[in-house]
Amino acid sequence: MSEIKKFMYVNRRAPYGTIYAWESLEVVLIGAAFEQDVSLAFIDDGVYQLTKGQDTSGIDMKNFSPTYSALGDYEVNKIYVEKESLEERGLTLDDLQHLVWEDEDDDWAEKDSIRLVSRAEMADVLAGQDILFNF
Amino acid sequence: MSMLHIVNKSPYERNSLAAAVGHMTDGDTLLLIEDGVYAAIKGGAAAGNLEGKTVSVLGADLAARGIGVDKLVDGVSVVDYGGFVDLVEATDKSQSWL
């Protein structure tokens, strides 16, 4: 079990309307303890999970969006967001949280976690993984 | 006879919005709630469905999803839960496009 595998969590659902987004986040955090090479993909309605300024006080549900900003501390710092998915929904990168991580090999420099990729690039990213978890 | 058409699903995942809009007649109102609110984002591929329609969006569901009122299609009105009740009361029937 010493071999490091490339794990990718593929998120395609909006938050709050269903439990998928939250469940995915829980599994990512659990999985982070196993020291694998973890990436996240946000495709289709999954891009809605990362919008900034979420305030669930009016709908009696837990706002789990602040948790995404903690992912960098768990060495989950490869977050792929599909450009076409954002555009189709009238969104841009500016509508999303600014997610960062600190690179210990570079004097703890703060670096962006989000990588905006095209649909074609996302296909390549998916193809390059060992294991895909779908939410 | 007027009808309140309620949509709670993302237009990018289900066809509920298209079904609702396709069945609207003059005097009807469309109310977007839960994941249905994503339809009201300006510049989105689904926004064209709202053209020429009387549309309300539930504010609490917009806020939960981080969608500012400035992101919405022009002419859409944001309502609170009381406004939801007012719409139900003001129309003859409600139809939820689940």
Side-chain angles (χ1 to χ4, degrees), chain A residues 13-17 45 48 51-56 58-59 87-90 95, chain B residues 10 12-13 35 38 41-46 60-61 63-67 71 81:
Chain A
R13 306 289 184 110
Y16 310 117
D45 278 3
Y48 292 135
T51 57
K52 62 186 174 193
Q54 295 179 25
D55 172 8
T56 59
I59 63 166
E87 286 171 354
E88 284 161 10
R89 289 161 180 77
D95 295 307
Chain B
S10 163
Y12 303 102
E13 204 198 333
D35 286 347
Y38 291 123
I41 297 178
K42 202 185 325 192
D61 285 325
R65 288 159 180 78
I67 306 166
K71 295 286 293 177
Y81 290 107

Short mmCIF file of all heavy atoms in Angstrom, two decimals, chain A residues 13-17 45 48 51-56 58-59 87-90 95, chain B residues 10 12-13 35 38 41-46 60-61 63-67 71 81:
data_model
loop_
_atom_site.label_atom_id
_atom_site.label_comp_id
_atom_site.label_asym_id
_atom_site.label_seq_id
_atom_site.Cartn_x
_atom_site.Cartn_y
_atom_site.Cartn_z
N ARG A 13 -22.59 18.40 -9.16
CA ARG A 13 -23.90 18.81 -8.63
C ARG A 13 -23.79 20.13 -7.89
O ARG A 13 -22.78 20.42 -7.26
CB ARG A 13 -24.43 17.77 -7.64
CG ARG A 13 -24.51 16.36 -8.16
CD ARG A 13 -25.62 16.21 -9.18
NE ARG A 13 -25.72 14.82 -9.58
CZ ARG A 13 -26.74 14.02 -9.25
NH1 ARG A 13 -27.74 14.48 -8.56
NH2 ARG A 13 -26.74 12.76 -9.64
N ALA A 14 -24.88 20.89 -7.94
CA ALA A 14 -24.96 22.13 -7.19
C ALA A 14 -25.04 21.81 -5.69
O ALA A 14 -25.50 20.73 -5.30
CB ALA A 14 -26.20 22.91 -7.61
N PRO A 15 -24.58 22.75 -4.84
CA PRO A 15 -24.70 22.52 -3.39
C PRO A 15 -26.14 22.74 -2.93
O PRO A 15 -26.93 23.35 -3.64
CB PRO A 15 -23.78 23.60 -2.81
CG PRO A 15 -23.87 24.72 -3.80
CD PRO A 15 -23.98 24.06 -5.15
N TYR A 16 -26.48 22.22 -1.77
CA TYR A 16 -27.77 22.48 -1.08
C TYR A 16 -29.00 21.79 -1.67
O TYR A 16 -29.82 21.27 -0.93
CB TYR A 16 -28.03 23.98 -0.90
CG TYR A 16 -26.83 24.68 -0.30
CD1 TYR A 16 -26.13 25.66 -0.99
CD2 TYR A 16 -26.35 24.30 0.97
CE1 TYR A 16 -25.00 26.26 -0.44
CE2 TYR A 16 -25.21 24.89 1.51
CZ TYR A 16 -24.55 25.87 0.80
OH TYR A 16 -23.43 26.44 1.32
N GLY A 17 -29.14 21.77 -3.00
CA GLY A 17 -30.31 21.12 -3.60
C GLY A 17 -30.29 19.62 -3.37
O GLY A 17 -31.33 18.99 -3.21
N ASP A 45 -22.89 21.62 -13.08
CA ASP A 45 -23.41 22.34 -11.92
C ASP A 45 -22.46 22.29 -10.72
O ASP A 45 -22.66 23.03 -9.75
CB ASP A 45 -24.78 21.79 -11.51
CG ASP A 45 -25.91 22.36 -12.37
OD1 ASP A 45 -25.63 23.14 -13.29
OD2 ASP A 45 -27.08 22.03 -12.09
N TYR A 48 -20.97 25.53 -9.18
CA TYR A 48 -21.73 26.34 -8.21
C TYR A 48 -21.25 26.12 -6.77
O TYR A 48 -21.47 26.96 -5.91
CB TYR A 48 -23.21 25.99 -8.27
CG TYR A 48 -23.95 26.37 -9.53
CD1 TYR A 48 -24.80 25.47 -10.15
CD2 TYR A 48 -23.84 27.65 -10.07
CE1 TYR A 48 -25.52 25.81 -11.28
CE2 TYR A 48 -24.56 28.00 -11.21
CZ TYR A 48 -25.40 27.08 -11.81
OH TYR A 48 -26.12 27.42 -12.91
N THR A 51 -18.91 29.06 -5.46
CA THR A 51 -19.25 30.48 -5.48
C THR A 51 -18.93 31.12 -4.13
O THR A 51 -19.08 30.50 -3.08
CB THR A 51 -20.73 30.73 -5.80
OG1 THR A 51 -21.54 30.03 -4.84
CG2 THR A 51 -21.08 30.27 -7.20
N LYS A 52 -18.48 32.38 -4.20
CA LYS A 52 -18.17 33.07 -2.94
C LYS A 52 -19.43 33.73 -2.38
O LYS A 52 -20.40 33.94 -3.10
CB LYS A 52 -17.05 34.09 -3.16
CG LYS A 52 -17.35 35.20 -4.13
CD LYS A 52 -16.10 36.05 -4.36
CE LYS A 52 -16.32 37.08 -5.45
NZ LYS A 52 -15.06 37.70 -5.90
N GLY A 53 -19.38 34.06 -1.11
CA GLY A 53 -20.47 34.81 -0.48
C GLY A 53 -21.70 33.98 -0.15
O GLY A 53 -22.78 34.54 0.02
N GLN A 54 -21.58 32.66 -0.08
CA GLN A 54 -22.74 31.85 0.25
C GLN A 54 -23.19 32.14 1.69
O GLN A 54 -22.37 32.18 2.60
CB GLN A 54 -22.42 30.35 0.09
CG GLN A 54 -22.13 29.96 -1.36
CD GLN A 54 -21.78 28.49 -1.53
OE1 GLN A 54 -22.17 27.65 -0.72
NE2 GLN A 54 -21.05 28.17 -2.59
N ASP A 55 -24.49 32.36 1.84
CA ASP A 55 -25.06 32.67 3.16
C ASP A 55 -26.35 31.87 3.31
O ASP A 55 -27.39 32.22 2.75
CB ASP A 55 -25.35 34.17 3.25
CG ASP A 55 -26.11 34.54 4.52
OD1 ASP A 55 -26.29 33.67 5.40
OD2 ASP A 55 -26.55 35.70 4.61
N THR A 56 -26.27 30.79 4.08
CA THR A 56 -27.42 29.87 4.19
C THR A 56 -28.33 30.17 5.37
O THR A 56 -29.19 29.37 5.70
CB THR A 56 -26.92 28.41 4.31
OG1 THR A 56 -26.09 28.31 5.48
CG2 THR A 56 -26.13 27.99 3.09
N GLY A 58 -30.82 31.90 5.68
CA GLY A 58 -32.24 31.94 5.35
C GLY A 58 -32.86 30.61 5.00
O GLY A 58 -34.07 30.52 4.81
N ILE A 59 -32.05 29.56 4.85
CA ILE A 59 -32.63 28.27 4.43
C ILE A 59 -32.40 27.15 5.43
O ILE A 59 -32.65 25.98 5.13
CB ILE A 59 -32.11 27.83 3.03
CG1 ILE A 59 -30.60 27.58 3.03
CG2 ILE A 59 -32.46 28.87 1.96
CD1 ILE A 59 -30.11 26.82 1.80
N GLU A 87 -18.92 29.42 -18.00
CA GLU A 87 -19.45 30.34 -19.01
C GLU A 87 -20.92 30.05 -19.33
O GLU A 87 -21.73 30.98 -19.44
CB GLU A 87 -18.62 30.25 -20.30
CG GLU A 87 -17.26 30.93 -20.16
CD GLU A 87 -16.33 30.67 -21.33
OE1 GLU A 87 -16.69 29.86 -22.22
OE2 GLU A 87 -15.24 31.26 -21.35
N GLU A 88 -21.26 28.77 -19.47
CA GLU A 88 -22.64 28.41 -19.79
C GLU A 88 -23.60 28.92 -18.71
O GLU A 88 -24.77 29.16 -18.97
CB GLU A 88 -22.78 26.88 -19.86
CG GLU A 88 -22.22 26.27 -21.13
CD GLU A 88 -21.93 24.78 -21.00
OE1 GLU A 88 -22.34 24.17 -19.98
OE2 GLU A 88 -21.30 24.24 -21.92
N ARG A 89 -23.08 29.05 -17.49
CA ARG A 89 -23.90 29.46 -16.35
C ARG A 89 -23.82 30.95 -16.04
O ARG A 89 -24.31 31.40 -15.00
CB ARG A 89 -23.52 28.61 -15.13
CG ARG A 89 -24.00 27.17 -15.30
CD ARG A 89 -23.32 26.17 -14.41
NE ARG A 89 -23.87 24.85 -14.69
CZ ARG A 89 -23.56 24.11 -15.76
NH1 ARG A 89 -22.69 24.55 -16.64
NH2 ARG A 89 -24.14 22.94 -15.94
N GLY A 90 -23.18 31.71 -16.91
CA GLY A 90 -23.08 33.15 -16.69
C GLY A 90 -22.11 33.52 -15.58
O GLY A 90 -22.23 34.59 -15.00
N ASP A 95 -16.40 35.03 -9.69
CA ASP A 95 -17.57 34.69 -8.87
C ASP A 95 -17.25 33.58 -7.87
O ASP A 95 -18.07 33.25 -7.02
CB ASP A 95 -18.73 34.24 -9.76
CG ASP A 95 -19.24 35.37 -10.66
OD1 ASP A 95 -19.54 36.44 -10.11
OD2 ASP A 95 -19.30 35.17 -11.88
N SER B 10 -32.15 22.89 -11.10
CA SER B 10 -31.23 23.60 -11.99
C SER B 10 -31.61 23.35 -13.44
O SER B 10 -31.84 22.21 -13.83
CB SER B 10 -29.80 23.11 -11.75
OG SER B 10 -28.98 23.49 -12.82
N TYR B 12 -29.73 23.42 -15.81
CA TYR B 12 -28.60 22.78 -16.48
C TYR B 12 -28.52 21.30 -16.15
O TYR B 12 -27.65 20.59 -16.63
CB TYR B 12 -27.30 23.49 -16.10
CG TYR B 12 -27.35 24.97 -16.44
CD1 TYR B 12 -27.57 25.93 -15.45
CD2 TYR B 12 -27.24 25.38 -17.77
CE1 TYR B 12 -27.66 27.28 -15.78
CE2 TYR B 12 -27.33 26.73 -18.09
CZ TYR B 12 -27.53 27.66 -17.10
OH TYR B 12 -27.62 29.00 -17.43
N GLU B 13 -29.45 20.84 -15.28
CA GLU B 13 -29.44 19.43 -14.92
C GLU B 13 -30.75 18.74 -15.29
O GLU B 13 -30.78 17.54 -15.54
CB GLU B 13 -29.17 19.29 -13.41
CG GLU B 13 -28.59 17.94 -13.07
CD GLU B 13 -28.73 17.60 -11.60
OE1 GLU B 13 -28.79 18.53 -10.77
OE2 GLU B 13 -28.79 16.40 -11.29
N ASP B 35 -32.53 25.06 -6.27
CA ASP B 35 -31.58 25.09 -7.39
C ASP B 35 -32.18 25.74 -8.64
O ASP B 35 -31.46 26.01 -9.61
CB ASP B 35 -31.09 23.68 -7.73
CG ASP B 35 -30.10 23.14 -6.70
OD1 ASP B 35 -29.61 23.95 -5.87
OD2 ASP B 35 -29.81 21.93 -6.72
N TYR B 38 -30.74 29.26 -10.16
CA TYR B 38 -29.60 29.42 -11.08
C TYR B 38 -30.05 29.88 -12.48
O TYR B 38 -29.25 30.42 -13.24
CB TYR B 38 -28.83 28.10 -11.20
CG TYR B 38 -28.09 27.70 -9.94
CD1 TYR B 38 -28.33 26.47 -9.32
CD2 TYR B 38 -27.12 28.54 -9.39
CE1 TYR B 38 -27.63 26.10 -8.18
CE2 TYR B 38 -26.43 28.17 -8.25
CZ TYR B 38 -26.68 26.94 -7.64
OH TYR B 38 -25.99 26.57 -6.52
N ILE B 41 -29.54 33.77 -13.52
CA ILE B 41 -28.25 34.45 -13.65
C ILE B 41 -28.07 35.00 -15.07
O ILE B 41 -28.19 34.27 -16.04
CB ILE B 41 -27.08 33.51 -13.29
CG1 ILE B 41 -27.18 33.07 -11.83
CG2 ILE B 41 -25.73 34.20 -13.55
CD1 ILE B 41 -26.10 32.10 -11.39
N LYS B 42 -27.79 36.31 -15.11
CA LYS B 42 -27.60 37.02 -16.37
C LYS B 42 -26.44 36.40 -17.15
O LYS B 42 -25.40 36.08 -16.59
CB LYS B 42 -27.28 38.48 -16.05
CG LYS B 42 -27.57 39.45 -17.17
CD LYS B 42 -27.12 40.88 -16.85
CE LYS B 42 -27.27 41.27 -15.39
NZ LYS B 42 -27.11 42.70 -15.11
N GLY B 43 -26.65 36.20 -18.44
CA GLY B 43 -25.57 35.65 -19.26
C GLY B 43 -25.52 34.14 -19.27
O GLY B 43 -24.74 33.55 -20.01
N GLY B 44 -26.34 33.51 -18.45
CA GLY B 44 -26.37 32.06 -18.45
C GLY B 44 -27.16 31.55 -19.65
O GLY B 44 -28.05 32.24 -20.15
N ALA B 45 -26.84 30.34 -20.09
CA ALA B 45 -27.49 29.79 -21.28
C ALA B 45 -29.00 29.60 -21.07
O ALA B 45 -29.77 29.60 -22.02
CB ALA B 45 -26.85 28.45 -21.65
N ALA B 46 -29.42 29.47 -19.81
CA ALA B 46 -30.84 29.24 -19.53
C ALA B 46 -31.65 30.52 -19.40
O ALA B 46 -32.88 30.49 -19.37
CB ALA B 46 -30.98 28.42 -18.24
N ALA B 60 -33.74 33.95 -0.19
CA ALA B 60 -32.96 33.12 0.72
C ALA B 60 -32.17 32.05 -0.05
O ALA B 60 -31.04 31.71 0.32
CB ALA B 60 -33.87 32.45 1.75
N ASP B 61 -32.77 31.55 -1.12
CA ASP B 61 -32.08 30.53 -1.93
C ASP B 61 -30.97 31.14 -2.78
O ASP B 61 -29.95 30.50 -3.03
CB ASP B 61 -33.08 29.77 -2.80
CG ASP B 61 -33.90 28.77 -1.99
OD1 ASP B 61 -33.33 28.18 -1.04
OD2 ASP B 61 -35.09 28.59 -2.29
N ALA B 63 -29.18 33.80 -1.78
CA ALA B 63 -28.13 34.12 -0.81
C ALA B 63 -27.36 32.85 -0.44
O ALA B 63 -26.13 32.87 -0.34
CB ALA B 63 -28.74 34.76 0.43
N ALA B 64 -28.07 31.76 -0.23
CA ALA B 64 -27.42 30.50 0.15
C ALA B 64 -26.41 30.09 -0.91
O ALA B 64 -25.35 29.53 -0.59
CB ALA B 64 -28.46 29.41 0.33
N ARG B 65 -26.74 30.38 -2.17
CA ARG B 65 -25.89 29.94 -3.27
C ARG B 65 -24.88 31.01 -3.70
O ARG B 65 -24.17 30.83 -4.70
CB ARG B 65 -26.78 29.52 -4.45
CG ARG B 65 -27.48 28.20 -4.13
CD ARG B 65 -28.72 27.95 -4.96
NE ARG B 65 -29.33 26.68 -4.60
CZ ARG B 65 -30.10 26.49 -3.52
NH1 ARG B 65 -30.34 27.48 -2.69
NH2 ARG B 65 -30.59 25.29 -3.24
N GLY B 66 -24.82 32.09 -2.96
CA GLY B 66 -23.82 33.11 -3.25
C GLY B 66 -24.10 33.92 -4.50
O GLY B 66 -23.17 34.47 -5.09
N ILE B 67 -25.36 33.99 -4.91
CA ILE B 67 -25.71 34.75 -6.11
C ILE B 67 -26.23 36.12 -5.72
O ILE B 67 -27.32 36.23 -5.13
CB ILE B 67 -26.79 34.02 -6.94
CG1 ILE B 67 -26.36 32.59 -7.24
CG2 ILE B 67 -27.07 34.77 -8.25
CD1 ILE B 67 -27.48 31.71 -7.74
N LYS B 71 -26.32 39.94 -10.14
CA LYS B 71 -26.04 38.91 -11.15
C LYS B 71 -27.29 38.50 -11.92
O LYS B 71 -27.20 37.70 -12.86
CB LYS B 71 -25.47 37.65 -10.47
CG LYS B 71 -24.13 37.82 -9.78
CD LYS B 71 -22.98 37.91 -10.77
CE LYS B 71 -22.77 36.60 -11.53
NZ LYS B 71 -21.69 36.77 -12.53
N TYR B 81 -39.97 34.72 1.96
CA TYR B 81 -40.98 33.67 2.13
C TYR B 81 -42.40 34.24 2.18
O TYR B 81 -43.34 33.62 1.68
CB TYR B 81 -40.68 32.83 3.39
CG TYR B 81 -39.45 31.96 3.24
CD1 TYR B 81 -38.27 32.26 3.89
CD2 TYR B 81 -39.48 30.83 2.41
CE1 TYR B 81 -37.12 31.46 3.73
CE2 TYR B 81 -38.35 30.02 2.24
CZ TYR B 81 -37.19 30.35 2.91
OH TYR B 81 -36.07 29.56 2.75
#
